[in-house]
């Protein structure tokens, strides 16, 4: 059956917030300014292209990219 979730990113200050619907097995690139994917431009601690995320059943698989300058 089809299942979708919504991811929510919030900045520490509370003024920055964005939501992203994510379907099962869809891969989304997270970063400050990715070529394609989920842009979280206010977070200066993540890289331009930081991690790939994929919803797998009951779990969100997040893989930090090798070129990311900070850990997740």
């Amino acid at each position: 059956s089809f299942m979708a979730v919504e991811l929510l990113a919030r900045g520490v200050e509370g003024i920055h917030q964005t939501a992203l619907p994510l379907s099962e097995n869809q891969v989304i690139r997270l970063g400050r300014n990715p070529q394609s994917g989920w842009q979280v431009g206010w977070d200066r601690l993540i890289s331009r292209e930081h991690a790939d995320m994929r919803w797998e059943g009951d779990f969100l698989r997040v893989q930090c990219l090798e070129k990311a300058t900070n850990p997740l």
Side-chain angles (χ1 to χ4, degrees):
S1 70
F2 176 74
M3 179 178 204
V5 296
E6 184 174 79
L7 300 177
L8 178 64
R10 277 193 192 143
V12 176
E13 299 170 14
I15 60 171
H16 299 108
Q17 178 173 312
T18 185
L20 175 76
L22 185 62
S23 298
E24 193 165 1
N25 292 315
Q26 176 186 10
V27 177
I28 296 290
R29 174 80 35 107
L30 171 69
R32 203 174 58 250
N33 190 19
Q35 282 187 352
S36 65
W38 195 18
Q39 182 177 354
V40 185
W42 68 82
D43 190 338
R44 296 294 172 211
L45 296 178
I46 65 172
S47 298
R48 182 177 310 257
E49 301 216 359
H50 200 92
D52 285 335
M53 302 180 298
R54 184 167 117 180
W55 182 251
E56 296 178 355
D58 293 332
F59 300 95
L60 179 65
R61 182 174 305 278
V62 180
Q63 182 174 3
C64 193
L65 301 174
E66 286 185 25
K67 60 184 172 182
T69 57
N70 287 320
L72 289 174

